[in-house]
Protein backbone atom coordinates (compact mmCIF):
# COMPACT_ATOMS: atom_id res chain seq x y z
CA UNK A 1 0.00 0.00 0.00
CA UNK A 2 2.27 2.84 -1.20
CA UNK A 3 2.41 6.03 0.94
CA UNK A 4 -0.17 4.65 3.38
CA UNK A 5 1.73 1.81 4.99
CA UNK A 6 5.46 1.89 5.68
CA UNK A 7 6.73 -1.67 5.46
CA UNK A 8 10.05 -0.63 6.97
CA UNK A 9 8.28 -0.61 10.34
CA UNK A 10 8.16 -4.42 10.26
CA UNK A 11 11.25 -6.56 10.61
CA UNK A 12 12.08 -8.81 7.64
CA UNK A 13 11.68 -12.55 8.23
CA UNK A 14 13.55 -15.20 6.24
CA UNK A 15 13.08 -18.92 5.62
CA UNK A 16 14.56 -21.62 3.41
CA UNK A 17 12.87 -23.49 0.57
CA UNK A 18 10.26 -25.92 1.86
CA UNK A 19 9.07 -23.71 4.72
CA UNK A 20 5.31 -23.71 5.28
CA UNK A 21 4.17 -20.07 5.36
CA UNK A 22 0.41 -20.57 5.50
CA UNK A 23 -1.97 -23.46 6.12
CA UNK A 24 -5.47 -23.88 4.75
CA UNK A 25 -8.22 -22.72 7.12
CA UNK A 26 -5.70 -20.70 9.13
CA UNK A 27 -7.23 -17.61 10.72
CA UNK A 28 -5.11 -14.60 9.84
CA UNK A 29 -3.85 -12.17 12.45
CA UNK A 30 -1.19 -10.77 10.13
CA UNK A 31 -0.66 -10.42 6.40
CA UNK A 32 2.50 -11.52 4.62
CA UNK A 33 4.26 -9.22 2.16
CA UNK A 34 6.73 -11.33 0.17
CA UNK A 35 9.79 -9.25 -0.66
CA UNK A 36 11.98 -11.91 -2.25
CA UNK A 37 11.58 -15.47 -3.43
CA UNK A 38 8.96 -17.80 -4.84
CA UNK A 39 5.99 -19.31 -2.99
CA UNK A 40 3.78 -22.15 -4.25
CA UNK A 41 0.14 -22.28 -3.22
CA UNK A 42 -2.29 -25.16 -3.38
CA UNK A 43 -3.32 -28.17 -1.29
CA UNK A 44 -0.83 -30.14 0.77
CA UNK A 45 -1.30 -33.79 1.64
CA UNK A 46 0.96 -35.67 4.03
CA UNK A 47 3.38 -32.77 4.14
CA UNK A 48 3.76 -32.48 0.35
CA UNK A 49 2.20 -30.11 -2.16
CA UNK A 50 -0.01 -32.63 -3.95
CA UNK A 51 -2.23 -30.14 -5.79
CA UNK A 52 -0.41 -27.09 -7.10
CA UNK A 53 -2.68 -24.14 -7.94
CA UNK A 54 -0.07 -21.52 -8.71
CA UNK A 55 3.17 -19.75 -7.82
CA UNK A 56 3.73 -16.22 -6.56
CA UNK A 57 6.97 -14.31 -6.98
CA UNK A 58 8.01 -11.46 -4.71
CA UNK A 59 7.44 -8.61 -4.29
CA UNK A 60 3.73 -9.21 -3.65
CA UNK A 61 1.11 -9.61 -0.93
CA UNK A 62 0.54 -13.30 -0.26
CA UNK A 63 -2.72 -13.28 1.67
CA UNK A 64 -4.09 -9.74 1.74
CA UNK A 65 -7.38 -10.76 0.08
CA UNK A 66 -8.62 -13.21 2.75
CA UNK A 67 -7.35 -10.91 5.49
CA UNK A 68 -9.29 -7.93 4.13
CA UNK A 69 -12.35 -10.11 3.51
CA UNK A 70 -12.23 -11.47 7.05
CA UNK A 71 -11.82 -15.04 5.84
CA UNK A 72 -9.30 -17.77 6.67
CA UNK A 73 -6.55 -18.67 4.23
CA UNK A 74 -8.00 -20.98 1.57
CA UNK A 75 -4.71 -22.57 0.46
CA UNK A 76 -1.44 -23.92 1.77
CA UNK A 77 1.59 -21.75 0.96
CA UNK A 78 5.08 -23.28 0.76
CA UNK A 79 8.37 -21.55 -0.08
CA UNK A 80 9.84 -22.87 -3.33
CA UNK A 81 13.07 -20.93 -2.84
CA UNK A 82 14.67 -19.05 0.02
CA UNK A 83 12.20 -16.29 0.88
CA UNK A 84 12.00 -13.04 2.80
CA UNK A 85 8.79 -11.40 3.94
CA UNK A 86 7.34 -8.88 6.38
CA UNK A 87 4.31 -9.64 8.57
CA UNK A 88 1.81 -6.78 8.92
CA UNK A 89 -1.00 -7.03 11.51
CA UNK A 90 -4.39 -7.32 9.81
CA UNK A 91 -5.76 -4.47 11.94
CA UNK A 92 -2.97 -2.20 10.74
CA UNK A 93 -3.54 -3.10 7.09
CA UNK A 94 -7.26 -2.42 7.43
CA UNK A 95 -6.54 0.85 9.21
CA UNK A 96 -4.29 1.88 6.34
CA UNK A 97 -7.05 1.07 3.86
CA UNK A 98 -9.45 3.38 5.71
CA UNK A 99 -7.31 6.30 4.54
CA UNK A 100 -8.30 5.57 0.95
CA UNK A 101 -11.30 7.23 -0.73
CA UNK A 102 -14.58 5.35 -0.20
CA UNK A 103 -14.73 4.31 -3.86
CA UNK A 104 -11.24 2.79 -3.69
CA UNK A 105 -12.10 0.98 -0.45
CA UNK A 106 -15.17 -0.53 -2.12
CA UNK A 107 -13.13 -1.63 -5.12
CA UNK A 108 -10.48 -3.32 -2.96
CA UNK A 109 -13.15 -5.03 -0.83
CA UNK A 110 -14.90 -6.32 -3.95
CA UNK A 111 -11.64 -7.61 -5.43
CA UNK A 112 -10.77 -9.34 -2.14
CA UNK A 113 -14.15 -11.10 -2.07
CA UNK A 114 -13.76 -12.13 -5.71
CA UNK A 115 -10.29 -13.55 -5.08
CA UNK A 116 -11.56 -15.56 -2.10
CA UNK A 117 -14.39 -17.01 -4.18
CA UNK A 118 -11.99 -18.01 -6.95
CA UNK A 119 -9.58 -19.59 -4.45
CA UNK A 120 -12.41 -21.61 -2.89
CA UNK A 121 -13.49 -22.76 -6.35
CA UNK A 122 -9.94 -23.75 -7.27
CA UNK A 123 -9.54 -25.77 -4.08
CA UNK A 124 -12.85 -27.54 -4.68
CA UNK A 125 -11.65 -28.40 -8.20
CA UNK A 126 -8.83 -30.52 -6.83
CA UNK A 127 -11.45 -32.73 -5.23
CA UNK A 128 -11.86 -34.23 -8.69
CA UNK A 129 -9.66 -37.30 -8.85
CA UNK A 130 -6.20 -36.68 -10.28
CA UNK A 131 -6.50 -39.85 -12.40
CA UNK A 132 -9.68 -38.51 -14.01
CA UNK A 133 -8.03 -35.19 -14.81
CA UNK A 134 -4.97 -36.89 -16.30
CA UNK A 135 -7.14 -39.21 -18.39
CA UNK A 136 -9.17 -36.26 -19.65
CA UNK A 137 -5.99 -34.35 -20.55
CA UNK A 138 -4.51 -37.31 -22.44
CA UNK A 139 -7.68 -37.80 -24.47
CA UNK A 140 -7.91 -34.08 -25.22
CA UNK A 141 -4.36 -34.07 -26.64
CA UNK A 142 -4.59 -37.41 -28.47
CA UNK A 143 -4.30 -37.71 -32.25
CA UNK A 144 -5.12 -40.67 -34.54
CA UNK A 145 -2.08 -42.79 -35.43
CA UNK A 146 -1.15 -46.29 -36.63
CA UNK A 147 -1.45 -47.82 -33.15
CA UNK A 148 -4.67 -46.04 -32.30
CA UNK A 149 -4.31 -42.76 -30.45
CA UNK A 150 -1.01 -40.99 -29.87
CA UNK A 151 -0.15 -38.16 -27.49
CA UNK A 152 2.94 -36.13 -28.26
CA UNK A 153 4.07 -34.21 -25.20
CA UNK A 154 5.01 -30.67 -26.15
CA UNK A 155 5.43 -29.57 -22.54
CA UNK A 156 7.48 -30.75 -19.61
CA UNK A 157 5.82 -32.90 -16.97
CA UNK A 158 6.14 -29.99 -14.55
CA UNK A 159 4.19 -27.73 -16.93
CA UNK A 160 1.51 -30.37 -17.49
CA UNK A 161 1.21 -30.95 -13.75
CA UNK A 162 0.80 -27.22 -13.14
CA UNK A 163 -1.93 -27.07 -15.80
CA UNK A 164 -3.76 -29.96 -14.13
CA UNK A 165 -3.35 -28.44 -10.68
CA UNK A 166 -1.36 -31.34 -9.26
CA UNK A 167 2.22 -31.86 -8.12
CA UNK A 168 4.74 -33.31 -10.63
CA UNK A 169 5.15 -36.31 -8.33
CA UNK A 170 1.39 -36.94 -8.50
CA UNK A 171 1.47 -36.78 -12.30
CA UNK A 172 4.33 -39.32 -12.44
CA UNK A 173 2.45 -41.62 -10.06
CA UNK A 174 -0.76 -41.42 -12.14
CA UNK A 175 1.07 -42.09 -15.42
CA UNK A 176 2.75 -45.10 -13.81
CA UNK A 177 -0.63 -46.33 -12.63
CA UNK A 178 -2.11 -45.98 -16.14
CA UNK A 179 0.82 -47.94 -17.59
CA UNK A 180 0.31 -50.71 -15.05
CA UNK A 181 -3.35 -50.90 -16.08
CA UNK A 182 -2.43 -51.16 -19.77
CA UNK A 183 -4.04 -47.80 -20.58
CA UNK A 184 -0.81 -46.03 -21.52
CA UNK A 185 2.25 -47.07 -23.49
CA UNK A 186 5.33 -45.48 -25.01
CA UNK A 187 8.38 -43.62 -23.72
CA UNK A 188 9.69 -40.08 -23.75
CA UNK A 189 7.46 -37.55 -25.45
CA UNK A 190 5.50 -40.08 -27.55
CA UNK A 191 2.74 -41.87 -25.68
CA UNK A 192 0.11 -44.31 -26.96
CA UNK A 193 -3.40 -44.88 -25.68
CA UNK A 194 -4.15 -48.57 -26.43
CA UNK A 195 -7.55 -48.54 -24.69
CA UNK A 196 -9.12 -45.11 -25.23
CA UNK A 197 -12.61 -46.27 -24.20
CA UNK A 198 -11.36 -47.41 -20.80
CA UNK A 199 -9.55 -44.10 -20.47
CA UNK A 200 -12.78 -42.25 -21.26
CA UNK A 201 -14.50 -44.09 -18.44
CA UNK A 202 -11.79 -42.92 -16.06
CA UNK A 203 -12.16 -39.35 -17.32
CA UNK A 204 -15.85 -39.43 -16.40
CA UNK A 205 -15.16 -40.71 -12.89
Amino acid sequence: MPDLLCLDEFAPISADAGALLRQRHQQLVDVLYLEQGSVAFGVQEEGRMRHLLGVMEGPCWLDAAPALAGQPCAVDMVAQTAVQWRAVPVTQLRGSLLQWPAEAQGLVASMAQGYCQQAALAVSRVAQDAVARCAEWLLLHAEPADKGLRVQLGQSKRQIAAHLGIAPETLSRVLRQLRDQGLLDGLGKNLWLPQPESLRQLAKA
Side-chain angles (χ1 to χ4, degrees):
M1 303 288 177
D3 301 327
L4 298 183
L5 186 66
C6 181
L7 292 172
D8 290 339
E9 298 177 21
F10 311 99
I13 306 170
S14 300
D16 295 329
L20 179 63
L21 305 187
R22 283 290 189 241
Q23 284 184 297
R24 280 183 299 150
H25 313 307
Q26 179 179 353
Q27 295 293 334
L28 302 175
V29 295
D30 53 25
V31 187
L32 305 186
Y33 181 77
L34 181 67
E35 291 189 319
Q36 299 175 17
S38 173
V39 173
F41 61 95
V43 177
Q44 279 214 130
E45 294 176 359
E46 300 177 350
R48 303 181 69 179
M49 187 67 78
R50 293 295 186 186
H51 304 286
L52 179 66
L53 297 178
V55 176
M56 289 181 279
E57 304 278 350
C60 66
W61 291 94
L62 290 178
D63 49 5
L68 292 174
Q71 298 186 22
C73 190
V75 295
D76 297 309
M77 297 185 180
V78 179
Q80 282 196 320
T81 64
V83 292
Q84 178 176 299
W85 73 91
R86 297 177 192 254
V88 180
V90 171
T91 53
Q92 200 157 342
L93 181 64
R94 289 175 177 167
S96 174
L97 186 62
L98 291 176
Q99 301 177 51
W100 289 35
E103 294 81 0
Q105 292 184 44
L107 176 61
V108 171
S110 177
M111 292 175 65
Q113 288 288 351
Y115 172 89
C116 290
Q117 291 172 0
Q118 290 181 350
L121 180 63
V123 170
S124 68
R125 175 178 175 263
V126 305
Q128 182 187 3
D129 186 74
V131 174
R133 272 182 279 153
C134 289
E136 183 179 26
W137 188 91
L138 288 168
L139 289 167
L140 183 65
H141 292 80
E143 298 177 348
D146 294 340
K147 294 184 181 180
L149 294 179
R150 182 185 69 175
V151 177
Q152 191 164 16
L153 302 181
Q155 299 174 299
S156 69
K157 285 186 178 180
R158 183 171 295 276
Q159 290 173 315
I160 296 170
H163 175 77
L164 293 174
I166 59 178
E169 295 84 358
T170 302
L171 176 61
S172 296
R173 175 175 55 80
V174 170
L175 293 178
R176 204 161 46 240
Q177 179 179 334
L178 294 177
R179 287 181 189 278
D180 292 343
Q181 295 175 347
L183 303 181
L184 186 65
D185 198 5
L187 296 172
K189 293 187 176 295
N190 290 305
L191 302 178
W192 302 92
L193 311 181
Q195 300 183 50
E197 286 305 319
S198 297
L199 208 58
R200 288 189 182 95
Q201 291 301 316
L202 280 180
K204 294 176 183 178

